[in-house]
């Protein structure tokens, strides 16, 4: 596993901040596990959607608690958490940490590609009003299953490797004790296929609608218009 020992990363993601992020993800997964009920139709898809939505809700609370450190960008289905110079996308990368982070990626199609190729255009508009500098893009990835709960949280930096997407750098924020963990998955673990660059289709510019950056630096909601 690659690691990045840069002082910038260490200074930004202190033990206190890492604990806050991990606690937010853990709370989201626990809430999703509480909601999971196969008798009324819960499945892998509904569990993943719940974890994502609950996770965004918990990560937003970090901004309320420490707005001088955390900020977030929300536009439609897009959500990014900013921790100083780092931009984090929130995604589940697998069911159990034993699958290994090196070959585990978000399941939703094109998620990593959008982080690498599309976000610059969107941030260019927001940054004019809110002084957002070019950011270091990472995925806040987690392993979770309704039977075993949360088993791992990582920060992963995506990059191009040959003709595919891969993790250039991975940081373990928290991992359960695999040796002493009795895990009985309700879903068959699978590793999402590596995204091929040839399959990436970037959509033409569309109006972003309302873009909200918190904490707000101006009263009201900033609306951006572009072609």
């Amino acid at each position: 596993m690659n690691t990045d020992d840069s002082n910038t990363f260490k200074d930004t993601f202190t033990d206190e901040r890492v604990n806050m992020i991990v606690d937010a993800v853990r709370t989201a997964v626990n809430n999703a596990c509480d909601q999971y009920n196969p008798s009324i139709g819960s499945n892998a898809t509904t569990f993943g959607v719940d974890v994502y939505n609950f996770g965004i809700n918990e990560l937003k609370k970090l901004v309320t608690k420490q707005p001088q450190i955390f900020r977030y960008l929300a536009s439609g289905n897009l959500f990014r958490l900013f921790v100083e110079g780092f931009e984090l996308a929130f995604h589940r990368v697998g069911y159990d940490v034993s699958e290994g982070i090196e070959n585990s990626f978000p399941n939703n199609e094109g998620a990593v590609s959008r982080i690498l190729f599309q976000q610059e255009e969107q941030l260019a508009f927001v940054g004019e009003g809110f002084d957002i500098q070019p950011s270091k893009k990472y995925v806040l990835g987690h392993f979770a299953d309704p039977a075993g709960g949360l088993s791992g949280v990582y920060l992963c930096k995506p990059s191009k490797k040959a003709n595919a997407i891969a993790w250039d750098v991975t940081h373990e924020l928290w991992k359960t004790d695999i040796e002493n963990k009795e895990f009985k998955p309700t879903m068959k673990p699978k590793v999402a296929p590596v995204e091929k660059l040839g399959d990436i289709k970037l959509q033409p510019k569309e109006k972003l609608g309302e873009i909200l950056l918190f904490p707000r630096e101006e009263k009201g909601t900033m609306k951006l218009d572009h072609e």
Side-chain angles (χ1 to χ4, degrees):
M1 177 174 66
N2 294 325
T3 56
D4 178 8
D5 295 326
S6 67
N7 292 330
T8 302
F9 189 97
K10 289 183 176 181
D11 291 343
T12 300
F13 294 99
T14 62
D15 289 344
E16 179 184 6
R17 296 175 186 179
V18 166
N19 288 337
M20 293 178 69
I21 293 171
V22 171
D23 285 345
V25 178
R26 181 182 292 110
T27 298
V29 171
N30 288 343
N31 290 338
C33 288
D34 291 341
Q35 295 291 326
Y36 187 78
N37 185 351
S39 68
I40 60 173
S42 294
N43 53 35
T45 299
T46 62
F47 178 74
V49 170
D50 282 345
V51 171
Y52 182 76
N53 289 328
F54 295 161
I56 288 176
N57 184 61
E58 295 301 320
L59 293 173
K60 286 180 178 179
K61 292 179 182 179
L62 298 181
V63 180
T64 303
K65 294 176 182 177
Q66 294 199 16
Q68 71 278 16
I69 297 173
F70 298 101
R71 308 183 80 183
Y72 74 82
L73 172 73
S75 175
N77 293 327
L78 182 145
F79 175 84
R80 297 289 187 265
L81 179 71
F82 291 88
V83 189
E84 296 184 353
F86 291 81
E87 172 192 346
L88 312 182
F90 179 63
H91 291 289
R92 184 171 61 151
V93 296
Y95 297 124
D96 185 72
V97 72
S98 61
E99 299 169 36
I101 187 61
E102 291 82 2
N103 297 311
S104 298
F105 300 90
N107 236 351
N108 49 324
E109 184 177 355
V112 177
S113 301
R114 286 192 296 274
I115 297 168
L116 283 173
F117 300 108
Q118 291 183 326
Q119 188 63 358
E120 287 89 347
E121 176 182 306
Q122 294 167 330
L123 285 181
F125 293 98
V126 180
E128 293 176 2
F130 293 95
D131 193 28
I132 295 180
Q133 302 300 320
S135 56
K136 303 176 181 66
K137 295 173 172 57
Y138 278 71
V139 171
L140 175 57
H142 59 281
F143 292 89
D145 181 271
L150 182 68
S151 59
V153 183
Y154 292 80
L155 280 176
C156 307
K157 181 180 179 181
S159 68
K160 293 184 293 184
K161 296 286 186 180
N163 292 321
I165 300 295
W167 298 137
D168 185 42
V169 175
T170 61
H171 295 271
E172 178 186 305
L173 302 188
W174 176 84
K175 183 174 70 174
T176 191
D177 185 353
I178 297 178
E179 293 182 0
N180 297 319
K181 183 173 185 282
E182 183 179 355
F183 178 71
K184 297 179 180 179
T186 58
M187 314 167 197
K188 182 180 179 181
K190 69 174 184 178
V191 176
V194 175
E195 299 170 14
K196 300 295 184 181
L197 295 182
D199 296 333
I200 297 172
K201 296 181 179 180
L202 300 182
Q203 299 298 321
K205 283 186 180 180
E206 296 179 359
K207 287 194 174 183
L208 298 179
E210 286 191 341
I211 294 182
L212 306 179
L213 185 74
F214 295 85
R216 296 173 180 166
E217 298 184 356
E218 300 178 1
K219 293 183 178 180
T221 300
M222 180 180 182
K223 293 186 178 180
L224 304 175
D225 292 319
H226 60 281
E227 54 180 9

